[in-house]
């Protein structure tokens, strides 16, 4: 019996085309709550950048790819990137090569400079990313509060940077233009464990929906892992079920398929 359902936002609950939650997904969430099933967000966004769920209410939030978790406004888990990694990043950007690099904190997302690629990503998720003057000073000042780093580089450069700079971190890519970097050993599945521990729910009673690389650990961890029809191939490979895409009632149809609604 499913007691908890976890939903990624961008590309899963929210369409990249409309930037909205579909009526069928809203109805699915309503039915789940009516049946007493807990519903949770599991996103790469920080909590104060969850701005596209209309008036839907959730029982908890996994944010920053599992590194910051909330029940309502109560923070129940937080783990940031280690200082050494931030200093390595500063050294690389200062002395070797410059590229767009944003950092995520509870207070917002901040970047060294904006390119057309950054603008494209911001537009796709309907979220502006402000550039910061004195970026390196900003990083050092906030060095203990950085939850996630976003590298606007291609996959080849990503692999190089992970070896040279982020030796104690791992990356996950859900968009072709950038990758998320977090501390090793984390992920949305860790956030799931923190949430279900709080509510006394067993992992065998969970279901998760996602579409991007940062959803893979969550999809694998849940008792039922569902990949959206628009998901990347890595997500589809580990999913228990592949539903329709976000613009074609994917969430509602999967819940119907498993006779949950």
């Amino acid at each position: 019996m499913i007691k908890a359902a976890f939903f990624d936002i961008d590309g899963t609950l929210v369409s990249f085309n409309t930037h909205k939650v579909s009526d069928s997904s809203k109805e699915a969430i309503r039915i789940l709550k009516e049946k007493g099933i807990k519903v949770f967000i599991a996103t790469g966004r920080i909590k104060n950048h969850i701005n596209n769920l209309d008036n839907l209410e959730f029982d908890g939030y996994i944010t920053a790819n599992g590194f910051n978790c909330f029940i309502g406004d109560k923070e129940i888990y937080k783990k940031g990137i280690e200082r050494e990694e931030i200093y390595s990043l500063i050294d690389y950007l200062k002395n070797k090569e410059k590229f767009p690099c944003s950092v995520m904190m509870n207070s917002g997302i901040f970047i060294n400079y904006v390119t057309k690629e950054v603008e494209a990503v911001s537009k796709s998720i309907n979220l502006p990313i402000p550039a910061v003057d004195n970026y390196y000073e900003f990083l050092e000042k906030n060095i203990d509060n950085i939850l996630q780093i976003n590298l606007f580089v291609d996959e080849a450069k990503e692999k190089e940077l992970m070896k040279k700079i982020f030796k104690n971190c791992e990356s996950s890519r859900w968009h072709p233009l950038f990758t998320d970097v977090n501390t090793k050993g984390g992920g949305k599945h860790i956030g799931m464990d923190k949430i279900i521990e709080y509510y006394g729910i067993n992992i065998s009673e969970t279901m998760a929906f996602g579409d991007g690389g940062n959803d893979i650990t969550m999809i694998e961890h849940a008792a039922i892992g569902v990949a959206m029809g628009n998901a990347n191939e890595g997500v589809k490979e580990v999913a228990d079920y592949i539903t329709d895409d976000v613009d074609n009632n994917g969430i509602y149809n999967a819940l119907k398929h498993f006779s949950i609604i």
Side-chain angles (χ1 to χ4, degrees):
M1 178 181 175
I2 296 300
K3 293 184 179 179
F6 294 82
F7 300 92
D8 170 56
I9 296 180
D10 301 295
T12 300
L13 266 178
V14 175
S15 166
F16 286 121
N17 296 317
T18 66
H19 304 299
K20 294 180 178 180
V21 182
S22 69
D23 289 340
S24 70
S25 292
K26 289 179 182 178
E27 177 67 3
I29 298 296
R30 184 192 68 78
I31 295 172
L32 289 175
K33 291 175 71 70
E34 192 176 75
K35 296 182 71 170
I37 297 171
K38 300 289 186 185
V39 292
F40 303 101
I41 287 299
T43 181
R45 293 180 180 232
I46 54 174
K47 193 168 186 291
N48 71 0
H49 278 186
I50 299 175
N51 61 353
N52 53 356
L53 298 177
D54 295 331
N55 295 317
L56 288 174
E57 294 183 2
F58 291 84
D59 296 291
Y61 299 85
I62 297 169
T63 71
N65 285 328
F67 287 88
N68 206 195
C69 301
F70 299 84
I71 302 299
D73 291 326
K74 178 183 178 182
E75 184 180 76
I76 64 168
Y77 178 70
K78 179 182 178 181
K79 184 175 177 60
I81 293 178
E82 298 294 331
R83 286 183 167 207
E84 291 75 11
E85 310 290 288
I86 306 300
Y87 284 126
S88 293
L89 173 64
I90 292 171
D91 180 68
Y92 191 93
L93 290 173
K94 273 185 174 181
N95 302 309
K96 296 182 180 178
E97 186 178 0
K98 192 177 178 183
F99 50 83
C101 177
S102 65
V103 293
M104 294 174 54
M105 303 181 295
N106 275 326
S107 56
I109 303 176
F110 307 93
I111 197 165
N112 49 348
Y113 65 99
V114 175
T115 64
K116 62 181 181 180
E117 289 78 14
V118 175
E119 290 177 344
V121 171
S122 300
K123 184 177 180 181
S124 74
I125 59 176
N126 197 27
L127 193 68
I129 302 176
V132 176
D133 292 330
N134 302 316
Y135 183 70
Y136 306 124
E137 292 179 20
F138 178 84
L139 291 186
E140 291 196 53
K141 182 179 178 180
N142 293 282
I143 200 163
D144 293 320
N145 298 309
I146 297 173
L147 296 165
Q148 180 173 300
I149 295 171
N150 309 110
L151 307 176
F152 288 81
V153 296
D154 60 25
E155 291 188 39
K157 192 66 181 178
E158 171 192 345
K159 291 179 180 178
E160 177 188 336
L161 294 173
M162 295 309 296
K163 288 181 180 179
K164 291 182 177 179
I165 304 176
F166 301 107
K167 296 178 181 179
N168 296 308
C169 291
E170 53 196 5
S171 61
S172 57
R173 182 177 291 265
W174 60 269
H175 195 288
L177 295 180
F178 78 100
T179 189
D180 297 339
V181 176
N182 296 100
T183 298
K184 274 184 181 177
K188 291 185 180 182
H189 66 296
I190 299 296
M192 286 179 69
D193 285 341
K194 300 299 180 182
I195 292 284
I196 63 176
E197 179 183 358
Y198 183 92
Y199 279 104
I201 296 171
N202 192 278
I203 194 65
S204 64
E205 300 168 316
T206 63
M207 186 175 192
F209 293 77
D211 72 298
N214 59 344
D215 297 315
I216 288 176
T217 62
M218 175 175 72
I219 297 295
E220 290 180 313
H221 196 48
I224 301 175
V226 178
M228 304 301 289
N230 50 280
N232 66 39
E233 289 306 311
V235 180
K236 290 179 178 179
E237 287 174 5
V238 302
D240 299 300
Y241 181 72
I242 301 171
T243 187
D244 299 298
D245 66 35
V246 64
D247 293 305
N248 287 288
N249 309 319
I251 288 174
Y252 188 95
N253 292 345
L255 290 167
K256 197 79 174 175
H257 172 82
F258 287 100
S259 300
I260 297 170
I261 62 173

